[in-house]
Structure formats: structure tokens, C-alpha cells
Amino acid sequence: MTEHSTGRARVAARDTTALDLRSGATVDPPASPAPTVHATAQIDPGQVPPPRPAAPETPVLRTVETHLEEILTAVPQPEPIELAVLDAQGLLCAEEVVSARALPAFDQAALDGYAVRAEDVAGAAPDAPVELAVVGETVAGAAGPSALTPGQAHKVTAGAMLPTGADVVVPAVWTDGGVVRVQVHAAPEAGGYVRRTGDDVSPGTAAVHVGTPIGPAQISLLAAVGRDRVQVRPRPRVAVLSAGSELVDITATPTPGQVVDVNTYALAAAARDAGASAYRWGILPTERRRLTEVLESQLLRSDLVLIAGTHTTEGDLVQEVLAELGPMRFRQVTMHPGAVQGFGRLGRDGVPVICVPGEPVAALVSFEVFVRPAIRSMLGKRQLFRRTVQAITAERLVSPLGYRQYLHGQVMRHPDGGYVVEPLGDGDEAMLARMARANCLIVVDEDVTEVAEGGLVTVMPLLLGG
């Protein structure tokens, strides 16, 4: 069920509903005691003790599915735009492209051979060839003869206009290749190896349908029906930013305590691989006015804003400024790594803002789980999620109860069929080099604490562009 914030609530305000980590169900609160009747005697206000400070709030835990559903429900699909056909490659067609032309535009030969009348070659066989007079030759692009009379053949190349009267093309390999007269050693049926007018596409019919991914074949068809531009679902514009006073750009040499900003590079690359037009802004400023200006400008230029490094500690400047721009909620999600996640719709246009952890491994795992499906939804894709396979684990796996574990691994074909996967690390080590060697994520469900060596696990292959 999708949750919505109301008003311009501060990020610190959190729902305190308790959840059972094993089932994800809400835990019913204890029954309220019977009301106590108090005396109505007047009280001296000066003797009233000060109110006790409120007890600290317990962060609400939410499932991966709940957080993902909130994001997918909120992200918009940008309006279609018209692009040149080559610029539309990789996008989804947003219109029914109706052809005004017939494809092919005329009867033509489907391969090199001889255009003849089927009745003239009926019964031709290797030991009883039929001989015909060759009256001409037509190549693709040239007009054919006006007519073909009985007993005649016309040499043609693939794509050449079929002579009037011819109703079959005999492949050249079924003949002796004669120039003046030709011997036919086999007889195709009438209509064989002939492309009739409109066989491919007839005028008034759809050549490319709404929702079709535009690749090389679709571009070929669009060009054939005379379309040099087409309406498509545009790539969503994604701004990628990092938060953290400890961050420095990759061109700087970090001093003790400083960390190179890798997240904006990694997340921008991941967004592009998912199909977005990603813009890497870089490290967010630490001065409030400048920070507000940067975030407001990105909300104006983007369809989605992705921020790495935000957290739920009190006094976090990025968290405070985000809350001033709209309802922004930070949650503890039952996943590892990347338990702290944030989402809101900010600014005048309610632009989706997704916040992921600053630790690079957790940031990329969070991208796979939440951001990639959101980008594909904005693109209008039907398949939002990567396909998964079942694999045999080569090592024992341990996972925290109540949390969905995502482990990097290497999956490969098993010699006896199926797949086998080898984990890279135990999930507690944020190792970039290990992550770079991985080709999959191993997914261990919330209610599983251990998978024995040789057990079956769900694996999500991390295919580029997949």
C-alpha cells in the first residue's frame, strides 16, 4: 500500500507503527486502559509541573516492496516527443505509425534467378529439364519488360521488378545459368520466390505499434515507409548528486578523513545504462543558501533527482533543506546493505527525489532495487525488473533475520546444467574491487538466515543494458 506524506512535514517526523520483521505485518497496539475520572477542582497554574520531554521516536521499518511501490506509484511518465529516427534508437514508440505506402511497392523477385510462368516449367526435373528462351535481364532499380509470353524467361536479380505475366521465380541454382536459352531442372509452385505488392505492409496498416522498442529493424521499417521522425517516450532526465562534507572530487588528493566522491560517477553510469539521460552534478555545497539554490535548480531541470549520502541524523543540513522543498520521508527498509532510504516529491512540479546511502556498494544495490525500476517505468517499459534465475550456491550463506540480503557474486553455467553462484564476500565488507568483479546479486529473503553450501538461491544477473 502506498504511503503519502501530508503537508510540509519535517523529515524527523516518522510513523511509529510497529512491524513484525518476519511477516511484514502490522503489530496491533496494546489495548488502552479504561479512562480515569479526575476531580475538577481548580489548580494553581504555577504548581503545574512542566511536561515531560517526548520519548524518542522509533523508526518505522518498511518492506522493500512497500518502499518500491511508493516510488513506482509516484514517478511520472514524461510526455512523448518527436525525434529523428536514429535518435529514437533504444526508446519506445509512442504512436501508431501508419504506412501510406505498400511494401513492397511492386511485384519483385525475392532472389536471383529467372522470372517465368509456372505453367511453362511444370514438371521440370533434373532428368527432364524444361528449356525456355531468355528474352532479357532486369536488375534491382530498373523497370521490367512490359510482358512475358509463353515459353519465355527473364533473368532477374533479387529486388528486381517482376515482368507482367510472370508468376514465379526459378532460383538460378535450379538452372544451367543459360544466357540465350535456359534449362530449368526443378519447378517451384506458382508464387514461389516472388514478393507481391503489399505483402510486407499494405497502405493504411500500422507499420510500428505504440510501445514497440525502436531498434535497427524498426528504424529500417520506418525508413521504408517514409518516416524520418517518430514520436517516442523520451529518456527521463536524472540529476545525480552526492552529500557529505567529507567528499572531494576525483581530481583532488584526499587528506586523512576525506573520501573521493565515486557515487555520482557510478550512479550516473547506472542511470544511463537503465536508459536515462543522466547529469552528474557532483558534491552538494554545505552552505544552506547555496544548497537550496542547487536543489531548486535541479528540481526545475530534472524528471528525477537522485542523491547519495543522506541520512536520518538530527541536524543534517541536506535533510532539512529537502524538507523545506516538500514532503520528504526517510525510512528504515528491511534490506541489507542500504537500510536507510528516502523518497519524496518536491518543488512546484512534485519532482520525485530518491535518496540512497552514501556507502558506494549500498548506493549501487539501492539503485538496482529502487531507482532502475523507476527509470524503466518512466521510459514506459513493460519489464521493470531484471530477470532472475535459480542457482546453486558454492558456499554457505548467512543473512540477518528480517532483512533481505543482497550479496555480490559471480554466476556461471554449471557443467551439468543450471547455474552455480559464488559469493564475493559476506555482505559486511564494502569492497569496490569485489563489486567490480561481480556479475550478479544474490538475493536472500527476509525469513532465511542461512543457506547451506549446495542450496538454491535467487540470483539477479547484472547484464549491461539488460
Side-chain angles (χ1 to χ4, degrees):
M1 180 172 60
T2 304
E3 300 180 24
H4 299 282
S5 303
T6 58
R8 298 175 65 84
R10 302 289 290 182
V11 178
R14 299 186 183 89
D15 184 1
T16 56
T17 304
L19 297 179
D20 184 335
L21 291 181
R22 294 182 63 87
S23 65
T26 304
V27 178
D28 294 332
S32 302
T36 303
V37 179
H38 296 281
T40 58
Q42 292 186 353
I43 300 176
D44 182 356
Q47 296 180 351
V48 178
R52 297 186 203 174
E57 297 181 66
T58 303
V60 62
L61 286 168
R62 59 177 6 199
T63 63
V64 170
E65 286 79 10
T66 300
H67 191 65
L68 177 60
E69 182 183 358
E70 180 181 7
I71 293 173
L72 293 180
T73 302
V75 294
Q77 285 193 1
E79 289 298 315
I81 60 174
E82 187 177 79
L83 294 177
V85 290
L86 281 178
D87 294 332
Q89 185 172 359
L91 301 176
L92 295 186
C93 186
E95 64 170 309
E96 288 286 305
V97 179
V98 177
S99 177
R101 303 175 179 176
L103 292 182
F106 50 86
D107 293 351
Q108 61 182 232
L111 44 65
D112 295 349
Y114 294 83
V116 301
R117 300 184 339 140
E119 60 185 284
D120 286 344
V121 294
D127 56 351
V130 173
E131 189 171 280
L132 302 173
V134 180
V135 295
E137 180 177 359
T138 304
V139 297
S146 59
L148 193 68
T149 60
Q152 294 181 336
H154 200 92
K155 193 171 185 179
V156 291
T157 60
M161 181 181 290
L162 205 67
T164 302
D167 58 3
V168 69
V169 173
V170 179
V173 293
W174 294 6
T175 72
D176 64 354
V179 175
V180 177
R181 300 190 68 82
V182 62
Q183 287 190 348
V184 178
H185 299 284
E189 295 181 0
Y193 305 105
V194 173
R195 302 181 187 135
R196 293 295 183 187
T197 303
D199 271 355
D200 199 359
V201 178
S202 58
T205 60
V208 180
H209 296 279
V210 172
T212 302
I214 296 180
Q218 290 71 36
I219 290 174
S220 171
L221 183 54
L222 288 167
V225 299
R227 292 292 296 270
D228 62 343
R229 302 184 69 82
V230 64
Q231 291 271 337
V232 293
R233 292 284 180 188
R235 301 183 189 278
R237 301 164 300 169
V238 178
V240 183
L241 310 94
S242 274
S245 57
E246 77 282 7
L247 298 177
V248 295
D249 196 60
I250 60 173
T251 57
T253 301
T255 60
Q258 292 183 326
V259 179
V260 172
D261 167 36
V262 301
N263 280 328
T264 55
Y265 290 90
L267 294 174
R272 289 173 182 172
D273 181 64
S277 176
Y279 171 73
R280 191 194 72 85
W281 196 90
I283 304 168
L284 283 169
T286 55
E287 191 272 319
R288 178 181 288 271
R289 183 183 63 82
R290 177 62 181 144
L291 174 60
T292 302
E293 290 176 352
V294 169
L295 291 174
E296 287 179 336
S297 68
Q298 298 312 307
L299 292 173
L300 290 173
R301 67 178 295 177
S302 308
D303 299 307
L304 185 149
V305 174
L306 176 57
I307 304 174
T310 54
H311 47 80
T312 58
T313 57
E314 296 295 330
D316 177 58
L317 181 59
V318 176
Q319 173 184 322
E320 293 177 358
V321 172
L322 286 172
E324 293 170 358
L325 297 174
M328 188 78 199
R329 302 291 295 273
F330 286 84
R331 313 283 189 151
Q332 291 280 342
V333 178
T334 55
M335 63 181 288
H336 181 267
V340 179
Q341 302 287 335
F343 179 71
R345 298 190 66 177
L346 310 185
R348 179 190 62 197
D349 300 321
V351 175
V353 177
I354 300 177
C355 296
V356 298
E359 194 282 303
V361 173
L364 277 177
V365 168
S366 300
F367 181 94
E368 283 294 325
V369 177
F370 302 117
V371 187
R372 190 176 188 277
I375 289 174
R376 291 180 66 82
S377 176
M378 297 173 80
L379 283 163
K381 300 282 189 181
R382 296 186 183 93
Q383 181 67 34
L384 301 185
F385 309 102
R386 293 191 189 271
R387 301 188 186 277
T388 59
V389 298
Q390 295 294 302
I392 298 171
T393 177
E395 297 179 14
R396 172 176 172 266
L397 303 177
V398 178
S399 182
L401 179 64
Y403 285 78
R404 185 174 302 175
Q405 176 92 311
Y406 294 89
L407 298 168
H408 283 93
Q410 289 184 336
V411 64
M412 60 204 82
R413 284 279 187 181
H414 193 279
D416 298 330
Y419 297 91
V420 62
V421 64
E422 181 179 352
L424 299 175
D426 58 9
D428 292 328
E429 301 168 315
M431 301 293 188
L432 294 180
R434 288 182 180 176
M435 181 175 66
R437 295 200 305 272
N439 64 3
C440 72
L441 285 176
I442 305 168
V443 185
V444 183
D445 288 338
E446 292 88 337
D447 58 350
V448 177
T449 59
E450 181 178 350
V451 180
E453 179 182 343
L456 279 178
V457 290
T458 299
V459 170
M460 181 192 303
L462 301 177
L463 303 175
L464 288 178

Coordinates of all heavy atoms in Angstrom, one line a residue, residues 289-368:
R289 N 22.2 28.5 1.9 CA 21.6 29.2 0.8 C 22.0 28.6 -0.5 O 21.2 28.4 -1.4 CB 22.0 30.7 0.9 CG 21.4 31.5 -0.2 CD 21.9 33.0 -0.1 NE 23.3 33.0 -0.4 CZ 23.9 33.0 -1.6 NH1 23.1 33.0 -2.6 NH2 25.2 33.1 -1.7
R290 N 23.3 28.3 -0.7 CA 23.8 27.7 -1.9 C 23.2 26.3 -2.1 O 22.8 26.0 -3.2 CB 25.3 27.7 -1.9 CG 25.9 27.0 -3.1 CD 25.6 27.8 -4.3 NE 26.3 27.1 -5.5 CZ 25.7 27.1 -6.7 NH1 24.5 27.6 -6.9 NH2 26.3 26.5 -7.7
L291 N 23.1 25.6 -1.0 CA 22.5 24.2 -1.1 C 21.1 24.3 -1.6 O 20.6 23.5 -2.5 CB 22.5 23.5 0.2 CG 21.8 22.2 0.4 CD1 22.4 21.2 -0.6 CD2 21.9 21.7 1.8
T292 N 20.3 25.3 -1.1 CA 18.9 25.4 -1.5 C 18.8 25.8 -3.0 O 18.0 25.2 -3.8 CB 18.2 26.5 -0.7 OG1 18.3 26.1 0.7 CG2 16.7 26.7 -1.1
E293 N 19.7 26.7 -3.4 CA 19.7 27.1 -4.8 C 20.0 25.9 -5.8 O 19.4 25.7 -6.8 CB 20.8 28.2 -5.1 CG 20.4 29.5 -4.4 CD 21.6 30.5 -4.6 OE1 22.7 30.1 -5.1 OE2 21.4 31.7 -4.2
V294 N 21.0 25.0 -5.4 CA 21.4 23.9 -6.2 C 20.2 22.9 -6.3 O 19.8 22.5 -7.4 CB 22.6 23.2 -5.6 CG1 22.8 21.9 -6.3 CG2 23.8 24.1 -5.8
L295 N 19.6 22.6 -5.2 CA 18.5 21.6 -5.2 C 17.3 22.2 -6.0 O 16.7 21.4 -6.7 CB 18.1 21.3 -3.8 CG 19.1 20.5 -3.0 CD1 18.6 20.3 -1.5 CD2 19.3 19.1 -3.6
E296 N 17.0 23.5 -5.8 CA 15.9 24.0 -6.5 C 16.1 24.0 -8.0 O 15.2 23.7 -8.9 CB 15.6 25.5 -6.1 CG 14.9 25.5 -4.7 CD 14.7 27.0 -4.2 OE1 15.5 27.9 -4.7 OE2 13.8 27.2 -3.4
S297 N 17.4 24.3 -8.4 CA 17.7 24.3 -9.9 C 17.6 22.9 -10.5 O 17.1 22.7 -11.6 CB 19.1 24.9 -10.1 OG 20.1 24.0 -9.6
Q298 N 18.0 21.9 -9.7 CA 17.9 20.5 -10.2 C 16.4 20.0 -10.3 O 16.1 19.3 -11.2 CB 18.7 19.5 -9.3 CG 20.2 19.9 -9.3 CD 20.8 20.1 -10.6 OE1 20.7 19.2 -11.5 NE2 21.5 21.2 -10.8
L299 N 15.6 20.5 -9.4 CA 14.2 20.2 -9.5 C 13.5 20.8 -10.7 O 12.6 20.2 -11.3 CB 13.4 20.7 -8.2 CG 13.8 19.9 -6.9 CD1 13.1 20.6 -5.8 CD2 13.4 18.5 -7.0
L300 N 14.0 21.9 -11.2 CA 13.5 22.6 -12.4 C 13.9 21.9 -13.7 O 13.2 21.9 -14.7 CB 13.9 24.1 -12.4 CG 13.2 24.9 -11.3 CD1 13.9 26.3 -11.4 CD2 11.7 25.0 -11.5
R301 N 15.1 21.3 -13.7 CA 15.7 20.8 -14.9 C 15.6 19.3 -15.0 O 15.9 18.7 -16.1 CB 17.1 21.2 -15.0 CG 18.0 20.5 -14.0 CD 19.5 20.9 -14.1 NE 20.0 20.4 -15.4 CZ 21.3 20.6 -15.8 NH1 22.1 21.4 -15.1 NH2 21.7 20.1 -16.9
S302 N 15.0 18.6 -14.0 CA 15.1 17.1 -14.0 C 13.7 16.5 -13.9 O 12.7 17.1 -13.4 CB 15.9 16.6 -12.8 OG 17.2 17.3 -12.8
D303 N 13.6 15.3 -14.4 CA 12.4 14.4 -14.2 C 12.5 13.6 -12.9 O 11.5 13.1 -12.4 CB 12.2 13.5 -15.4 CG 12.0 14.3 -16.7 OD1 11.1 15.2 -16.7 OD2 12.7 14.0 -17.6
L304 N 13.8 13.4 -12.5 CA 14.0 12.6 -11.2 C 15.4 13.1 -10.7 O 16.3 13.3 -11.4 CB 14.1 11.1 -11.5 CG 14.2 10.2 -10.3 CD1 13.5 8.9 -10.6 CD2 15.7 9.9 -10.0
V305 N 15.5 13.3 -9.4 CA 16.7 13.7 -8.7 C 17.1 12.5 -7.8 O 16.3 12.0 -7.0 CB 16.5 15.0 -7.9 CG1 17.8 15.3 -7.1 CG2 16.1 16.1 -8.8
L306 N 18.4 12.2 -7.9 CA 19.0 11.1 -7.2 C 20.1 11.6 -6.3 O 21.1 12.2 -6.8 CB 19.5 10.0 -8.1 CG 20.2 8.8 -7.5 CD1 19.3 8.0 -6.5 CD2 20.6 7.8 -8.6
I307 N 20.0 11.4 -5.0 CA 21.0 11.9 -4.0 C 21.6 10.8 -3.2 O 20.8 10.0 -2.6 CB 20.4 13.0 -3.1 CG1 19.8 14.1 -3.9 CG2 21.5 13.5 -2.1 CD1 19.0 15.1 -3.0
A308 N 22.9 10.7 -3.2 CA 23.6 9.7 -2.4 C 24.2 10.3 -1.2 O 24.7 11.4 -1.3 CB 24.7 9.0 -3.2
G309 N 24.1 9.7 0.0 CA 24.8 10.2 1.2 C 23.9 10.8 2.2 O 24.4 11.3 3.2
T310 N 22.6 10.9 2.0 CA 21.7 11.5 3.0 C 21.4 10.5 4.1 O 21.5 9.3 3.8 CB 20.4 12.0 2.4 OG1 19.8 10.9 1.7 CG2 20.7 13.2 1.5
H311 N 21.1 10.9 5.3 CA 20.8 10.0 6.4 C 19.8 10.6 7.3 O 19.3 11.7 7.0 CB 22.1 9.7 7.2 CG 23.0 10.9 7.5 ND1 22.7 11.8 8.5 CD2 24.0 11.4 6.8 CE1 23.6 12.7 8.5 NE2 24.4 12.6 7.5
T312 N 19.5 10.0 8.4 CA 18.4 10.4 9.3 C 18.8 11.1 10.6 O 18.0 11.3 11.4 CB 17.5 9.2 9.6 OG1 18.3 8.2 10.3 CG2 16.9 8.6 8.4
T313 N 20.1 11.4 10.7 CA 20.5 12.0 11.9 C 20.0 13.4 12.1 O 19.8 14.2 11.1 CB 22.0 12.1 12.0 OG1 22.5 12.8 10.8 CG2 22.6 10.7 12.0
E314 N 19.7 13.8 13.3 CA 19.1 15.2 13.5 C 20.2 16.2 13.1 O 21.4 16.0 13.4 CB 18.8 15.3 15.0 CG 17.6 14.4 15.5 CD 16.3 14.8 14.7 OE1 16.1 15.9 14.4 OE2 15.5 13.8 14.5
G315 N 19.7 17.3 12.6 CA 20.6 18.4 12.2 C 21.3 18.2 10.9 O 22.2 19.1 10.5
D316 N 21.0 17.2 10.1 CA 21.5 17.0 8.8 C 21.0 18.2 7.9 O 19.8 18.3 7.7 CB 21.2 15.7 8.3 CG 21.7 15.5 6.9 OD1 23.0 15.6 6.7 OD2 20.9 15.2 5.9
L317 N 21.9 19.0 7.3 CA 21.5 20.1 6.6 C 20.8 19.7 5.3 O 19.8 20.4 4.9 CB 22.8 21.0 6.2 CG 22.5 22.3 5.4 CD1 21.5 23.2 6.2 CD2 23.8 23.0 5.1
V318 N 21.2 18.7 4.6 CA 20.6 18.3 3.4 C 19.2 17.8 3.7 O 18.2 18.2 3.0 CB 21.4 17.2 2.7 CG1 20.6 16.7 1.4 CG2 22.7 17.7 2.2
Q319 N 19.0 17.1 4.7 CA 17.7 16.6 5.2 C 16.8 17.8 5.5 O 15.6 17.8 5.1 CB 17.9 15.7 6.4 CG 16.6 15.3 7.1 CD 16.8 14.5 8.3 OE1 17.8 13.8 8.4 NE2 16.0 14.7 9.3
E320 N 17.3 18.8 6.1 CA 16.4 20.0 6.5 C 16.0 20.7 5.2 O 14.9 21.1 5.1 CB 17.2 20.9 7.4 CG 17.5 20.3 8.8 CD 18.3 21.2 9.7 OE1 18.7 22.3 9.2 OE2 18.6 20.8 10.8
V321 N 16.9 21.0 4.3 CA 16.6 21.7 3.1 C 15.6 21.0 2.2 O 14.7 21.5 1.7 CB 17.9 22.1 2.3 CG1 17.5 22.7 1.0 CG2 18.7 23.1 3.2
L322 N 15.8 19.7 2.1 CA 14.9 18.8 1.4 C 13.5 19.0 1.9 O 12.5 19.1 1.2 CB 15.3 17.4 1.4 CG 16.5 17.0 0.5 CD1 16.9 15.6 0.7 CD2 16.2 17.2 -1.0
A323 N 13.4 18.9 3.3 CA 12.0 19.0 3.9 C 11.4 20.4 3.7 O 10.2 20.5 3.6 CB 12.2 18.8 5.4
E324 N 12.2 21.4 3.5 CA 11.7 22.8 3.2 C 11.1 22.8 1.7 O 10.3 23.7 1.4 CB 12.7 23.8 3.3 CG 13.2 24.0 4.8 CD 14.4 24.9 4.9 OE1 14.9 25.3 3.9 OE2 14.9 25.1 6.1
L325 N 11.6 21.9 0.9 CA 11.1 21.9 -0.5 C 9.9 21.0 -0.8 O 9.4 21.0 -1.9 CB 12.3 21.5 -1.4 CG 13.5 22.4 -1.4 CD1 14.7 21.8 -2.2 CD2 13.2 23.8 -1.9
G326 N 9.5 20.3 0.2 CA 8.3 19.4 0.0 C 8.3 18.3 1.0 O 9.3 18.1 1.8
P327 N 7.3 17.4 1.0 CA 7.2 16.3 1.9 C 8.3 15.2 1.6 O 8.2 14.6 0.5 CB 5.8 15.8 1.7 CG 5.4 16.2 0.4 CD 6.1 17.5 0.1
M328 N 9.3 15.1 2.4 CA 10.4 14.1 2.2 C 10.4 13.2 3.4 O 10.4 13.6 4.5 CB 11.7 14.9 2.1 CG 12.9 14.0 1.7 SD 12.8 13.7 -0.1 CE 13.9 12.3 -0.2
R329 N 10.4 11.9 3.1 CA 10.4 10.9 4.2 C 11.6 10.0 4.1 O 11.9 9.5 3.0 CB 9.1 10.0 4.1 CG 7.8 10.8 4.2 CD 7.5 11.4 5.6 NE 7.4 10.4 6.6 CZ 6.2 9.8 6.9 NH1 5.1 10.1 6.2 NH2 6.1 8.9 7.8
F330 N 12.2 9.8 5.2 CA 13.3 8.8 5.3 C 12.8 7.6 6.1 O 12.2 7.7 7.1 CB 14.5 9.5 6.0 CG 15.2 10.4 5.1 CD1 14.8 11.7 5.0 CD2 16.3 10.0 4.3 CE1 15.4 12.6 4.1 CE2 17.0 10.9 3.4 CZ 16.5 12.2 3.4
R331 N 13.2 6.4 5.6 CA 12.7 5.2 6.2 C 13.8 4.2 6.4 O 14.8 4.2 5.7 CB 11.7 4.5 5.2 CG 10.6 5.4 4.7 CD 9.5 5.8 5.6 NE 8.4 6.5 5.0 CZ 7.2 6.4 5.4 NH1 6.9 5.7 6.4 NH2 6.3 7.1 4.8
Q332 N 13.5 3.3 7.4 CA 14.4 2.1 7.6 C 13.7 1.0 6.8 O 12.6 0.6 7.1 CB 14.5 1.8 9.0 CG 15.3 2.8 9.9 CD 16.8 2.6 9.7 OE1 17.2 1.5 9.3 NE2 17.5 3.6 10.1
V333 N 14.4 0.5 5.7 CA 13.8 -0.5 4.9 C 14.5 -1.8 5.2 O 15.7 -1.9 5.5 CB 14.1 -0.2 3.4 CG1 13.6 -1.3 2.5 CG2 13.4 1.1 3.0
T334 N 13.8 -2.9 5.2 CA 14.3 -4.2 5.7 C 15.1 -4.8 4.6 O 14.7 -5.8 4.0 CB 13.1 -5.1 6.1 OG1 12.2 -5.2 5.0 CG2 12.4 -4.6 7.3
M335 N 16.3 -4.2 4.3 CA 17.2 -4.7 3.3 C 18.6 -4.5 3.8 O 18.9 -3.6 4.6 CB 17.0 -4.1 2.0 CG 17.3 -2.6 1.9 SD 17.0 -1.8 0.3 CE 18.4 -2.5 -0.6
H336 N 19.6 -5.3 3.3 CA 21.0 -5.1 3.6 C 21.8 -5.5 2.4 O 21.6 -6.5 1.8 CB 21.4 -6.0 4.8 CG 22.8 -5.8 5.2 ND1 23.8 -6.6 4.7 CD2 23.4 -4.9 6.0 CE1 25.0 -6.2 5.2 NE2 24.8 -5.2 6.0
P337 N 22.7 -4.6 2.0 CA 23.0 -3.2 2.6 C 22.0 -2.2 2.1 O 21.2 -2.5 1.2 CB 24.4 -2.9 2.0 CG 24.4 -3.6 0.7 CD 23.6 -4.9 0.9
G338 N 22.0 -1.0 2.7 CA 21.2 0.1 2.3 C 19.9 0.2 3.0 O 18.9 0.5 2.4
A339 N 19.9 0.1 4.3 CA 18.6 0.1 5.1 C 18.0 1.5 5.1 O 16.8 1.6 5.1 CB 18.8 -0.4 6.5
V340 N 18.8 2.5 5.1 CA 18.2 3.9 5.1 C 17.9 4.4 3.7 O 18.8 4.6 2.9 CB 19.2 4.8 5.9 CG1 18.6 6.2 5.9 CG2 19.4 4.4 7.3
Q341 N 16.6 4.6 3.5 CA 16.2 5.1 2.1 C 15.3 6.3 2.3 O 14.6 6.4 3.3 CB 15.4 4.0 1.4 CG 16.2 2.7 1.2 CD 17.3 2.9 0.1 OE1 17.2 3.7 -0.8 NE2 18.3 2.0 0.2
G342 N 15.3 7.2 1.3 CA 14.5 8.4 1.4 C 13.7 8.6 0.1 O 14.3 8.3 -1.0
F343 N 12.5 9.1 0.2 CA 11.8 9.4 -1.0 C 10.8 10.6 -0.8 O 10.2 10.7 0.3 CB 11.0 8.2 -1.5 CG 10.2 8.5 -2.8 CD1 10.8 8.7 -4.0 CD2 8.8 8.6 -2.7 CE1 10.1 9.0 -5.1 CE2 8.1 8.9 -3.9 CZ 8.7 9.1 -5.1
G344 N 10.6 11.4 -1.8 CA 9.6 12.5 -1.7 C 9.4 13.1 -3.1 O 10.1 12.8 -4.0
R345 N 8.3 13.9 -3.2 CA 8.1 14.6 -4.4 C 8.1 16.1 -4.0 O 7.3 16.6 -3.3 CB 6.7 14.3 -5.0 CG 6.6 12.8 -5.4 CD 5.3 12.5 -6.1 NE 5.4 13.2 -7.4 CZ 4.4 13.1 -8.3 NH1 3.3 12.3 -8.1 NH2 4.4 13.7 -9.5
L346 N 9.1 16.8 -4.6 CA 9.5 18.1 -4.1 C 9.3 19.1 -5.2 O 9.3 18.8 -6.4 CB 10.9 18.1 -3.6 CG 11.3 17.0 -2.6 CD1 12.7 17.3 -2.1 CD2 10.3 17.0 -1.4
G347 N 9.3 20.4 -4.8 CA 9.3 21.5 -5.7 C 7.9 21.8 -6.3 O 6.9 21.1 -5.9
R348 N 7.8 22.8 -7.1 CA 6.5 23.2 -7.7 C 5.8 22.1 -8.5 O 4.6 21.9 -8.4 CB 6.7 24.4 -8.6 CG 5.5 24.9 -9.3 CD 5.9 25.9 -10.3 NE 6.7 25.3 -11.4 CZ 7.5 26.0 -12.2 NH1 7.6 27.3 -12.1 NH2 8.2 25.4 -13.1
D349 N 6.6 21.2 -9.2 CA 6.0 20.2 -10.0 C 6.0 18.8 -9.4 O 5.7 17.8 -10.0 CB 6.8 20.1 -11.3 CG 6.8 21.4 -12.1 OD1 5.7 22.1 -12.1 OD2 7.8 21.9 -12.7
G350 N 6.4 18.7 -8.1 CA 6.4 17.4 -7.4 C 7.4 16.5 -8.0 O 7.0 15.3 -8.3
V351 N 8.6 16.9 -8.3 CA 9.6 16.0 -8.9 C 10.0 14.9 -8.0 O 10.3 15.2 -6.8 CB 10.8 16.9 -9.4 CG1 11.9 16.0 -9.9 CG2 10.4 17.9 -10.4
P352 N 10.1 13.7 -8.4 CA 10.5 12.6 -7.5 C 12.0 12.8 -7.1 O 12.8 13.1 -8.0 CB 10.3 11.3 -8.3 CG 9.4 11.7 -9.4 CD 9.6 13.2 -9.7
V353 N 12.2 12.6 -5.8 CA 13.6 12.7 -5.3 C 13.9 11.4 -4.5 O 13.1 11.1 -3.6 CB 13.8 13.9 -4.4 CG1 15.2 13.9 -3.8 CG2 13.6 15.2 -5.1
I354 N 14.9 10.6 -4.9 CA 15.2 9.4 -4.3 C 16.6 9.6 -3.6 O 17.5 10.0 -4.2 CB 15.3 8.2 -5.3 CG1 13.9 8.0 -6.0 CG2 15.7 6.9 -4.6 CD1 13.9 7.0 -7.0
C355 N 16.6 9.2 -2.3 CA 17.9 9.3 -1.6 C 18.3 7.9 -1.2 O 17.5 7.1 -0.7 CB 17.7 10.1 -0.3 SG 17.2 11.9 -0.6
V356 N 19.6 7.6 -1.5 CA 20.2 6.3 -1.2 C 21.4 6.5 -0.3 O 21.9 7.6 -0.2 CB 20.6 5.6 -2.5 CG1 19.4 5.4 -3.4 CG2 21.6 6.4 -3.3
P357 N 21.9 5.5 0.4 CA 23.0 5.6 1.3 C 24.3 6.1 0.5 O 24.4 6.0 -0.7 CB 23.2 4.2 1.8 CG 21.9 3.5 1.6 CD 21.3 4.1 0.4
G358 N 25.2 6.6 1.3 CA 26.4 7.1 0.7 C 27.5 6.1 0.5 O 28.5 6.3 -0.2
E359 N 27.4 5.0 1.2 CA 28.4 3.9 1.0 C 28.2 3.4 -0.4 O 27.1 3.0 -0.8 CB 28.2 2.8 2.1 CG 29.4 1.9 2.2 CD 29.4 0.8 1.1 OE1 28.3 0.1 0.9 OE2 30.4 0.8 0.4
P360 N 29.3 3.4 -1.2 CA 29.1 3.1 -2.7 C 28.5 1.7 -3.0 O 27.7 1.6 -3.9 CB 30.6 3.1 -3.2 CG 31.3 4.1 -2.3 CD 30.7 3.8 -0.9
V361 N 28.8 0.7 -2.2 CA 28.2 -0.6 -2.5 C 26.7 -0.6 -2.2 O 25.9 -1.0 -3.0 CB 28.9 -1.7 -1.7 CG1 28.1 -3.1 -1.9 CG2 30.3 -1.9 -2.2
A362 N 26.4 0.0 -1.1 CA 24.9 0.1 -0.7 C 24.2 1.1 -1.7 O 23.0 0.8 -2.0 CB 24.8 0.7 0.7
A363 N 24.9 2.1 -2.2 CA 24.3 3.0 -3.2 C 23.9 2.3 -4.5 O 22.8 2.5 -5.0 CB 25.2 4.2 -3.5
L364 N 24.8 1.5 -5.0 CA 24.5 0.8 -6.2 C 23.5 -0.4 -6.0 O 22.7 -0.6 -6.9 CB 25.8 0.2 -6.8 CG 26.6 1.2 -7.7 CD1 27.9 0.6 -8.2 CD2 25.8 1.8 -8.8
V365 N 23.5 -1.0 -4.9 CA 22.5 -2.0 -4.6 C 21.1 -1.3 -4.5 O 20.1 -1.8 -5.1 CB 22.8 -2.8 -3.3 CG1 21.6 -3.6 -2.9 CG2 24.0 -3.7 -3.5
S366 N 21.0 -0.2 -3.9 CA 19.8 0.6 -3.8 C 19.3 1.0 -5.1 O 18.1 1.0 -5.4 CB 20.0 1.8 -2.9 OG 20.4 1.4 -1.6
F367 N 20.3 1.4 -6.0 CA 19.9 1.8 -7.4 C 19.2 0.6 -8.1 O 18.2 0.8 -8.7 CB 21.1 2.2 -8.1 CG 20.8 2.7 -9.5 CD1 20.6 4.0 -9.8 CD2 20.7 1.7 -10.6 CE1 20.2 4.4 -11.1 CE2 20.3 2.1 -11.9 CZ 20.1 3.5 -12.1
E368 N 19.8 -0.6 -8.0 CA 19.2 -1.7 -8.6 C 17.8 -2.0 -8.1 O 16.9 -2.4 -8.9 CB 20.1 -3.0 -8.4 CG 21.4 -3.0 -9.3 CD 21.0 -3.1 -10.8 OE1 20.1 -3.8 -11.1 OE2 21.7 -2.6 -11.6

